[in-house]
Every structure is written in structure tokens, then in C-alpha cells.
Amino acid sequence: MKLLSWLHRWTGGIVGILLALIGLSGTVLLWEESWIMLPGADQPVVADPAALGETIAAARKAGPGLSRITFASDEIGLHQVIYADGTGAYLNQDGVLVERWASMWDRPELWLFDLHHYLFMGEAGKIITGFLGILLLGFCITGLLLWWRTRTTYRFRIWPARFTRSAIVRHHRDLGAVASPLLILAAFTGAMMVFPSISAWLLSPVTEEQIAPPLPEHLEPPDEQTNWPLVMARAQAAFPSAVPRRLMMPAAEGAPLALRLKQDFEWTPNGRTYVWIDPRTVHVVGVQDPATSDIASALTEKYYPVHAAKVGGIGWRLFMSFAGLALAMLGLFASWSFWAGRGRAPRRSRS
């Protein structure tokens, strides 16, 4: 147990600040629809294909090289538009420009997202956050083992009784024991999203071979003649009960348009139902229906909505908010108590 305690203490002291940043930024992002107070953010959703088609045409005129548009949802009643040069905009559901940004630093929800997922370091930061998730799993397991020896002295406190090293250690131990089940779930789902190969290995017993639909490779790109209302109508006709969530422009030259839709049984906010459309003829050239996928795909689809509290209503969001704030306190106080307590010479009694 001494070695376990030493590893837990030293590793936590080193990465505690990073875990605190991830926990705090994630908690704020859970409630982003409450503080994005732009005009039209609370507008009821209109999923009419004709209206969405007009919005796409307006988004193409509002900036250079439309990359994708995420349609308004019950959370945020604005369309989010991303352009090829990295700029973006919010449009209301009448297609009117509400907000433009030149970089992520112009919008708090964008740089908070980047902080939480990438630590402002791109793909390298994403790998680091994945390893931090795995470390958090280790912290929760070892912390519970260490707490078990002192469980009879358990006393739950949101805040340390005093700002002394011993009081902070006791607070860390008892708060961690309460938050560990939620933190294990958050850490596991987060790490699996970063490391899909690990998820695939774990779920290999319930994985079946999936054949991707063949897509044409020599299509004409969308232009001013593209009938966007008809594009949306054809996509909707492929899955009449689904809700259109995102339009993605061709990823490569000659590729089709891709539309993501969300069916009732899907948890992912933007859905994993795909419809591919030839932008010139507006014919559907491929579909992907998650209703026909295997158990592994159905489980991996749950990672993000559980992690980001996109399901479960206000109750689950409160639980995950508690987990995020607990992680922030655990990380900050662990680093503070570890480094503040080091290097102090023991007091000598006067003789």
C-alpha cells in the first residue's frame, strides 16, 4: 500500500492542474446553451427542408468556402457555420447573420472546447487528454483502495474544513470516494473517444464486419446552381422520421455531399445516420443506417452523449457537473498540497 500511495500522490501532484482544467472546462461546456446569449439562441427549431436549404445558400454567401453547417437544435436555436479558412458564423433560422468570428478566440465556447479536448495543442494535446483519462481511471481505482483503509473516518465535505495540508488530504480522500463512480465513467468514455483502437479491442466480442457503402468519386462540385432545398428534401425522404443535423461539403474532389441525421433511437446529438448526395443531380448515392449496425457500434455511439450529458435530462447533467467540479477541486488541491508540503524542513524543538 505504501508504493500505491506514493504513486497516487506523486502522479496526482504532477498532473493535477491539467485534470482540474479539463474538469472545469468540461463543466462549463455542459451548460453552454445557457450562456450563449446571442439573438435567436432560444428560437424554436424549424426543420423544414425548404427553410434549411435557404439557410445553406445564405451561409455560402456569408463567407468563403463553406465547410460544414450544423443546424439549430433544441439546445441552441442557431445554425453554426464553419468555413474552409477556419472562420465561422452563427445564423438564425431565417438565414440572417448573427455573429461572425475570425478565430476560436472570438467565441468562448470554441476555445473552451479546444482546451477541454486538445489543451490548445492540436492532435498532440488530444493524445495527452486521452492519457489523462486513463490516468484518472487509475487514480479512481487506487484512491478507492487507499480510502477503504480509513473508511470509518469518512466525512463528506464539498469544501475542506481548513486550508491545512492534513485537512485537504482528508477532503481529497472523502470527496474522491464519492465522485469516483462518475469520474470512472467520464474518464472511460473520454479515453475511448480518443483511443478508438482500444475501444475496438474491448468490444471485439460483439463486433461484426461492417461494409461501407460504395460512393462515386468523380462528381461535379456544388455550385451556384445546386438546389439546396431539394438536397435537404431528398435527404429527409431517405429517413422521413429523422432530424437533419449537419451538412458537410465534399471532403475531397469528386466526392458527394454528406448529410448527418438523427433518428429517434440515437443518443448522439448530431446522429450517425448518413445520406450522401450528388450535388449536381441531387440524387442520393449512398446511405448508412445505424439501425443495421452491430452492438459495438451501438455502444461506441453512447460514449459522447453520456460523457457530455447530452442524454438523461437535467438530472444527469447535474451529476456530471458535480463530477467535473469534483475533478477540478481534487486536481487543484492535490497539486497544491503536494507541492506546498514539499521542501519544508521539520521543526526542531528547542533544548
Side-chain angles (χ1 to χ4, degrees):
M1 281 294 184
K2 286 186 178 180
L3 176 60
L4 197 64
S5 177
W6 183 86
L7 286 172
H8 187 96
R9 185 174 66 253
W10 266 89
T11 312
I14 293 170
V15 304
I17 297 296
L18 289 177
L19 288 172
L21 286 173
I22 289 175
L24 190 59
S25 59
T27 303
V28 177
L29 286 170
L30 289 176
W31 301 91
E32 63 177 330
E33 78 279 1
S34 302
W35 47 263
I36 298 181
M37 295 181 289
L38 294 172
D42 57 351
Q43 188 176 354
V45 176
V46 177
D48 175 61
L52 293 178
E54 295 298 329
T55 296
I56 297 167
R60 284 171 59 85
K61 293 178 182 178
L66 176 65
S67 176
R68 71 176 186 268
I69 176 168
T70 302
F71 300 117
S73 68
D74 291 333
E75 291 187 351
I76 302 175
L78 298 171
H79 304 300
Q80 187 190 69
V81 183
I82 302 298
Y83 295 101
D85 61 357
T87 63
Y90 282 121
L91 274 64
N92 68 20
Q93 293 184 66
D94 296 321
V96 177
L97 180 67
V98 172
E99 178 84 350
R100 282 294 302 266
W101 60 85
S103 73
M104 69 175 182
W105 303 109
D106 295 335
R107 293 298 311 169
E109 66 272 18
L110 300 181
W111 64 257
L112 278 169
F113 181 90
D114 198 273
L115 170 62
H116 186 76
H117 290 78
Y118 301 102
L119 295 173
F120 301 143
M121 297 169 61
E123 287 301 312
K126 182 179 179 180
I127 299 300
I128 292 173
T129 60
F131 278 115
L132 287 172
I134 294 173
L135 282 176
L136 180 55
L137 283 172
F139 286 138
C140 291
I141 295 169
T142 57
L144 286 172
L145 291 173
L146 293 168
W147 169 82
W148 187 254
R149 300 176 304 166
T150 59
R151 64 189 184 279
T152 56
T153 63
Y154 167 81
R155 185 175 179 183
F156 176 71
R157 291 189 179 93
I158 293 293
W159 201 252
R162 296 175 301 280
F163 274 89
T164 62
R165 190 172 184 275
S166 60
I168 287 175
V169 168
R170 287 195 298 271
H171 169 264
H172 178 96
R173 176 194 63 199
D174 294 338
L175 178 61
V178 174
S180 281
L182 291 170
L183 291 176
I184 288 172
L185 184 60
F188 176 78
T189 52
M192 292 305 98
M193 287 188 286
V194 175
F195 301 122
S197 58
I198 298 177
S199 174
W201 176 73
L202 292 173
L203 297 175
S204 58
V206 292
T207 300
E208 300 175 7
E209 184 178 0
Q210 301 291 305
I211 301 176
L215 299 175
E217 298 178 351
H218 303 289
L219 302 177
E220 294 294 326
D223 56 21
E224 297 302 321
Q225 305 302 316
T226 301
N227 189 332
W228 295 107
L230 185 57
V231 166
M232 298 307 301
R234 292 275 173 85
Q236 187 73 73
F239 294 94
S241 63
V243 178
R245 291 301 307 128
R246 177 176 288 172
L247 168 74
M248 293 168 287
M249 303 302 282
E253 186 176 352
L257 295 166
L259 284 109
R260 287 178 65 172
L261 301 93
K262 180 179 183 294
Q263 300 187 65
D264 292 339
F265 62 86
E266 296 184 82
W267 290 17
T268 302
N270 291 326
R272 292 196 176 185
T273 301
Y274 282 83
V275 177
W276 288 275
I277 292 180
D278 181 336
R280 185 59 59 90
T281 65
V282 198
H283 290 155
V284 174
V285 295
V287 298
Q288 181 173 298
D289 186 355
T292 63
S293 64
D294 59 3
I295 296 175
S297 298
L299 290 173
T300 56
E301 187 259 340
K302 307 295 189 293
Y303 290 155
Y304 173 71
V306 169
H307 185 88
K310 299 300 183 182
V311 292
I314 188 69
W316 185 244
R317 196 185 305 185
L318 289 172
F319 274 120
M320 294 304 285
S321 296
F322 166 73
L325 293 174
L327 179 59
M329 285 191 284
L330 290 169
L332 285 173
F333 289 149
S335 292
W336 184 86
S337 63
F338 179 79
W339 295 108
R342 296 188 60 79
R344 292 181 178 176
R347 286 188 171 183
R348 295 181 179 179
S349 59
R350 295 181 180 179
S351 57

